[in-house]
Amino acid sequence: MAQSRRLLAPLRLGLAALRWRPLGWGRGLSTPATPGTRLDLRGIFSPLTTPFTAQGEVEHSQLEENLHRYATVPFRGFVVQGSSGECPYLTPQERLAVVSRVRQAVPKDKLLLAGSGCESTQGTVAMTVGMAEAGADAALVVTPCYYRGAMTSAALIHHYSQVADASPIPVVLYSVPSNTGLELPLEAVLTLSQHPNVVGLKDSGGDITRLGLIVHKTRTEEFQVLVGSAGFLLAGYAIGACGGVCVLANVLGAPLCQLERLCQEGRWQEARALQLRLIEPNAAVTRKFGIPALKQAMEWFGYHGGPCRAPLRPLSEAQLEELHRDFSINGWL
């Protein structure tokens, strides 16, 4: 515990430097969940990108301008400092600063999920507490993966249990094997779903049978499953997922919310037609070209995308042409 306090010290200094409001102001601490209830994650979340200047500094004003434009889209909320936010390339103080600025810029009824995962359990606990103090409603905790060979179900259950025990806000598990090379094992998910402070899972793996099994096996636990990609959002809703955290929402947020509504209303033919038009653009800004493509597409649609932080590089001319084609042939450009 003493070591966790030592880890928290520089994070709290970072918040103080931002002239942040006193502890307890953020929704995660000021409005704790009522006993017996769980945070409602139903809906579409946009995992925000982090704008940078040409010199590689965080550009908070552009982030706030993006949020102003997103105010017209019926998102359930936002994910801050997830994969789309280039969180591995930001310092702990920068991560907290981004969360604090977003919390101040968005309405209180918009949920804020903050990426707090670190490689060590102690570091994750410290970052999670810091994110709660910065105003996050829940912590999105990615699997530690550097020593992935040692990340057994037992190790991951212990890790997440320790984090959830110490966290003042609800915890959402995050499995993104394309980035970590590690899928959160089914056994671990089912065990952790019984923890009172673990409210759900964001799964970006794309295995719809696995998602369906998780929904089925946790149906008595009030455990919520979020689809981690727009590419299989319709399939996720069909098997009982409660919503989605979709990179493509940074660009096509309104169509994704429309897809959610069509699924909720049982208008499956219309939902299928819309889903098919989203597959290629989604693939382009995820597994094909990644964050540089997402930020370029944001520029085309009137948002601030801008450069990535090194070592990520801009797209080549050939890649730009292919990216544009993936959007235009589906009627988005």
Side-chain angles (χ1 to χ4, degrees):
M1 198 58 153
Q3 187 163 358
S4 292
R5 285 195 293 269
R6 288 196 297 272
L7 286 168
L8 268 172
L11 303 184
R12 285 179 169 146
L13 284 173
L15 283 175
L18 290 166
R19 293 178 294 183
W20 184 242
R21 294 179 172 95
L23 176 61
W25 179 86
R27 284 192 65 207
L29 297 180
S30 63
T31 56
T34 303
T37 66
R38 285 202 165 190
L39 195 67
D40 185 357
L41 300 176
R42 289 176 296 177
I44 301 298
F45 292 80
S46 179
L48 299 172
T49 60
T50 304
F52 297 106
T53 67
Q55 292 72 40
E57 300 300 318
V58 177
E59 180 56 271
H60 293 284
S61 62
Q62 291 187 355
L63 175 59
E64 290 169 358
E65 288 173 17
N66 284 344
L67 288 167
H68 180 73
R69 284 204 59 196
Y70 290 143
T72 62
V73 182
F75 290 133
R76 179 67 178 97
F78 300 95
V79 170
V80 189
Q81 288 305 293
S83 303
S84 301
E86 299 175 63
C87 65
Y89 296 164
L90 273 70
T91 67
Q93 290 75 19
E94 286 176 324
R95 291 170 69 178
L96 287 168
V98 170
V99 171
S100 71
R101 294 290 286 266
V102 172
R103 180 71 279 170
Q104 292 178 78
V106 301
K108 298 281 185 68
D109 64 338
K110 299 294 185 183
L111 288 183
L112 191 60
L113 277 57
S116 65
C118 301
E119 281 300 307
S120 74
T121 302
Q122 290 175 329
T124 302
V125 167
M127 181 60 75
T128 300
V129 173
M131 291 299 190
E133 294 182 5
D137 294 292
L140 183 67
V141 182
V142 71
T143 50
C145 62
Y146 188 82
Y147 298 107
R148 65 177 56 85
M151 292 299 101
T152 61
S153 286
L156 291 167
I157 290 169
H158 182 266
H159 170 74
Y160 279 107
S161 297
Q162 293 289 306
V163 173
D165 286 345
S167 176
I169 52 178
V171 169
V172 178
L173 313 175
Y174 183 18
S175 181
V176 56
S178 62
N179 288 350
T180 63
L182 175 70
E183 184 172 69
L184 187 56
L186 177 63
E187 174 191 354
V189 174
L190 298 183
T191 299
L192 291 165
S193 71
Q194 300 173 52
H195 192 291
N197 203 31
V198 175
V199 297
L201 163 74
K202 176 196 172 188
D203 195 306
S204 300
D207 184 342
I208 202 66
T209 58
R210 165 185 156 91
L211 286 179
L213 189 58
I214 291 171
V215 170
H216 178 60
K217 292 289 188 181
T218 62
R219 64 192 181 281
T220 63
E221 303 296 340
E222 298 183 19
F223 188 74
Q224 301 165 88
V225 175
L226 291 164
V227 172
S229 172
F232 52 97
L233 185 59
L234 182 151
Y237 275 118
I239 55 87
C242 73
V245 179
C246 306
V247 168
L248 193 60
N250 284 284
V251 178
L252 298 176
L256 285 170
C257 291
Q258 180 187 5
L259 178 56
E260 175 202 16
R261 185 173 64 255
L262 292 172
C263 292
Q264 290 173 336
E265 295 173 356
R267 297 159 63 183
W268 296 107
Q269 289 189 349
E270 294 170 79
R272 181 179 63 182
L274 178 54
Q275 174 69 87
L276 292 174
R277 294 176 57 215
L278 295 169
I279 292 174
E280 286 178 298
N282 179 73
V285 300
T286 54
R287 67 173 184 269
K288 189 189 289 187
F289 299 129
I291 305 302
L294 173 61
K295 287 190 162 183
Q296 176 59 63
M298 290 175 68
E299 294 285 343
W300 289 337
F301 283 83
Y303 299 100
H304 295 293
C308 295
R309 186 169 271 185
L312 292 179
R313 301 294 300 151
L315 300 182
S316 67
E317 286 299 321
Q319 290 171 328
L320 281 171
E321 290 179 10
E322 188 172 350
L323 175 65
H324 194 279
R325 184 167 60 251
D326 286 335
F327 278 88
S328 61
I329 64 174
N330 289 285
W332 302 115
L333 284 173

